[in-house]
């Protein structure tokens, strides 16, 4: 009797899980399309950390780094992948900062920038919106992504053309809970990260 009850329970569970299926799938029917997601970005061995030791800010910066997606074929790199001649100065703080590098082989600036716009990390939004200039620089460009309008934290990517493709540097900053911004004179405002 106990075996019959167990069998009946398993049949009922199977029926409940299948819902209202109507017939079998034909043998020659195409398989259902799998959801496509970007390949994970290669893991990094040489991430550079600096700034505040605030655990919450460090966790936010790490979460943004972990969610970065770059085109297929991208490889992790070191800071020597390109000569990055500028850096992002985060005016408000304190912040926890991370810096990471990649090489996107056989890529163009435009294609790499488009990929980053289409796969923003951690729900961040481009500071350019839908109006990113096409040719900001002949051999490189900066792209900023922030959590909300006016924010002075997030990710700034610097893209540089190198012989093997496009070198990418991500400068990531997450503010601490007590972060503040120095007052600017005469109603001046801070520019968005990554806009120069």
């Amino acid at each position: 009797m106990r075996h019959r009850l167990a069998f009946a329970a398993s049949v009922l569970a199977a029926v409940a899980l299948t819902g209202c299926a109507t017939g079998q799938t034909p043998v020659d029917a195409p398989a259902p399309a799998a959801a496509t997601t970007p390949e994970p970005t290669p893991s990094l061995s040489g991430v550079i950390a600096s700034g505040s030791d605030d655990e919450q800010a460090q966790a936010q910066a790490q979460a943004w780094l972990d969610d970065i997606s770059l085109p297929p074929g991208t490889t992790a790199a070191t800071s020597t992948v390109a000569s990055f001649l500028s850096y992002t100065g985060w005016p408000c703080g304190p912040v926890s900062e991370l810096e990471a590098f990649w090489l996107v082989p056989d890529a163009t600036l435009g294609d790499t920038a488009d990929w980053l716009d289409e796969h923003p990390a951690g729900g961040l939004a481009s500071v350019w919106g839908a109006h990113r200039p096409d040719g900001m620089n002949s051999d490189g460009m900066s792209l900023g992504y922030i959590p909300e309008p006016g924010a002075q934290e997030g990710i700034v990517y610097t893209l540089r053309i190198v012989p093997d493709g496009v070198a990418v540097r991500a400068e990531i900053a997450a503010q601490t809970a007590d972060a503040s911004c120095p007052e600017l004179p005469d109603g001046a405002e801070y520019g968005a990260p990554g806009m120069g």
Side-chain angles (χ1 to χ4, degrees):
M1 181 70 174
R2 190 179 308 174
H3 294 297
R4 287 183 189 166
L5 288 175
F7 175 74
S10 65
V11 169
L12 287 174
V15 169
L17 290 174
T18 58
C20 301
T22 57
Q24 296 180 340
T25 303
V27 174
D28 59 348
T36 57
T37 57
E39 289 182 19
T41 296
S43 60
L44 301 167
S45 58
V47 174
I48 301 168
S50 62
S52 172
D53 60 0
D54 179 270
E55 290 182 11
Q56 187 173 1
Q58 288 178 341
Q60 179 60 76
Q62 186 65 50
W64 284 333
L65 172 62
D66 292 344
D67 201 43
I68 289 174
S69 171
L70 288 161
T74 296
T75 57
T78 65
S79 61
T80 60
V81 69
S83 294
F84 295 99
L85 306 174
S86 64
Y87 68 94
T88 300
W90 303 97
C92 306
V95 295
S96 179
E97 296 181 72
L98 295 173
E99 190 175 21
F101 304 86
W102 298 270
L103 174 65
V104 187
D106 304 319
T108 67
L109 286 176
D111 288 345
T112 305
D114 288 345
W115 177 277
L116 291 168
D117 281 345
E118 293 165 8
H119 303 91
L124 300 175
S126 170
V127 298
W128 294 105
H131 306 292
R132 185 187 83 235
D134 289 331
M136 291 190 284
N137 194 326
S138 60
D139 63 352
M141 67 173 68
S142 293
L143 303 169
Y145 297 83
I146 55 178
E148 60 189 12
Q152 290 296 321
E153 63 178 343
I155 302 175
V156 173
Y157 297 100
T158 305
L159 312 181
R160 297 278 301 173
I161 293 176
V162 294
D164 296 329
V166 174
V168 178
R169 176 185 64 187
E171 295 173 279
I172 304 161
Q175 293 179 348
T176 63
D178 60 348
S180 62
C181 299
E183 287 188 30
L184 297 176
D186 302 325
E189 295 181 356
Y190 289 107
M195 293 186 83

